[in-house]
Amino acid sequence: MTHQALLSRLLPDEPVGELPVLQGQFHQVVIASDRVVRFARTEAAAARLTARAAVLRVLAGLDLGFRTPEPLLTGGAHGTDEPPYLVLSRVPGAPLPDSALERPGMAASVAAQYVTLLTGLAEAGTDEDVRAALPRAPEGEWRLFAADVRAELFGLMSDAGRLRAERELTAVDDLPHVTGAVVHGDLGGENVLWEDADGWPRLSGVVDWDEVALGDPAEDLAAVGAGYGEELMGRVLALGGWAGAAYDGVAARAATIRGTFALQQALSAYRDGDEDELAEGLAGYV
């Protein structure tokens, strides 16, 4: 881990050399006991730090029913010798283990808390201050995604794989442009944290808001389904009232979006040069 002197100043009471470090595509993340330090790894990521901090301040000011990282300090670059960084409060909790849903009654409890999470994000999307602070999902984003997959990944697929991909891409081409809700954008199980409450999981917080935007809540619903399976997804849709036509087909849109997750993984991995992730994403297309 580099930046030892800076980390010692930012985290004076921590054993800096022993802290866990996560490597992402755009950031290097150091996890301390009550803080998280994110170092930008690219110029583009560095340029986004200030805007990202502003968005997190808006989210921290909302009553969502769960915690989000609160920006504490930004610094670095701009004529200094320090790398660009953002210090955040650490959200307590851990991802829900797969075995947790096996206990009787546990799936119903978890599904109800996901409904609260998603409902809170949908309601936040009507707040004018939130809408002024957050970016909107770009119109035509799915058409652009489809074009990129065809251009960059089709050459790696079998004929049957290209036919499958074409069906999935054609389906998302027809999705409407929706920007009514706050959408996390990466609501996989690793970003939703839970604490123990007398033997039952209690949703404590949500982290990694890098992809947050005003968009379609179907995207976050799709991530829930991908992370926990059809049974829990069905419970969430039913409890939230999203299973019928009253919610403008969100369940169908979520299923369509979920059908592209492997292609999304493959495209990101191809661009990052991650051969293992690429192979996993393309496993059903070669």
Side-chain angles (χ1 to χ4, degrees):
M1 175 64 203
T2 57
H3 319 317
Q4 294 278 345
L6 175 58
L7 281 170
S8 295
R9 179 167 61 82
L10 296 174
L11 307 170
D13 299 322
E14 300 280 353
V16 169
E18 302 173 13
L19 297 177
V21 180
L22 304 179
Q23 298 285 350
Q25 180 180 0
F26 300 111
H27 298 92
Q28 185 180 57
V29 184
V30 181
I31 311 295
S33 58
D34 63 350
R35 295 186 177 193
V36 173
V37 183
R38 303 184 66 176
F39 291 104
R41 299 184 65 190
T42 67
E43 290 185 6
R48 291 193 296 266
L49 282 180
T50 301
R52 185 61 56 205
V55 167
L56 289 172
R57 287 190 187 94
V58 171
L59 292 172
L62 300 175
D63 184 14
L64 293 172
F66 56 86
R67 299 179 189 177
T68 60
E70 183 178 352
L72 304 175
L73 182 66
T74 58
H78 301 299
T80 74
D81 293 331
E82 296 178 346
Y85 64 85
L86 172 61
V87 181
L88 304 170
S89 61
R90 180 176 177 179
V91 177
L96 191 69
D98 293 340
S99 60
L101 297 178
E102 297 173 2
R103 281 183 53 194
M106 194 69 74
S109 174
V110 169
Q113 293 179 77
Y114 263 108
V115 169
T116 299
L117 187 164
L118 293 165
T119 301
L121 293 180
E123 292 175 351
T126 66
D127 185 293
E128 289 304 318
D129 290 336
V130 174
R131 297 191 66 82
L134 265 59
R136 284 170 170 75
E139 193 162 2
E141 62 175 325
W142 291 111
R143 288 190 294 275
L144 179 60
F145 167 72
D148 288 345
V149 169
R150 293 181 182 111
E152 299 179 48
L153 297 182
F154 268 28
L156 306 176
M157 299 179 185
S158 66
D159 291 341
R162 281 190 288 272
L163 288 174
R164 173 189 168 182
E166 192 59 55
R167 289 193 298 269
E168 294 165 350
L169 296 174
T170 299
V172 292
D173 271 347
D174 295 331
L175 289 175
H177 185 229
V178 178
T179 60
V182 173
V183 175
H184 179 276
D186 189 13
L187 205 62
E190 70 279 3
N191 290 329
V192 181
L193 306 183
W194 305 77
E195 293 180 308
D196 181 86
D198 297 324
W200 291 82
R202 179 180 62 207
L203 197 156
S204 60
V206 180
V207 297
D208 195 358
W209 292 84
D210 285 356
E211 304 300 323
V212 67
L214 297 168
D216 190 344
E219 293 188 41
D220 283 344
L221 278 162
V224 174
Y228 295 100
E230 294 293 340
E231 181 178 351
L232 188 79
M233 177 70 164
R235 288 178 180 270
V236 172
L237 290 170
L239 286 172
W242 298 310
Y247 205 73
D248 193 28
V250 68
R253 298 202 305 276
T256 298
I257 292 168
R258 183 178 170 186
T260 69
F261 278 179
L263 292 174
Q264 291 185 43
Q265 174 182 329
L267 183 62
S268 177
Y270 177 78
R271 290 172 171 174
D272 292 347
D274 190 328
E275 294 184 2
D276 291 338
E277 287 289 313
L278 176 62
E280 183 178 88
L282 288 180
Y285 303 88
V286 295

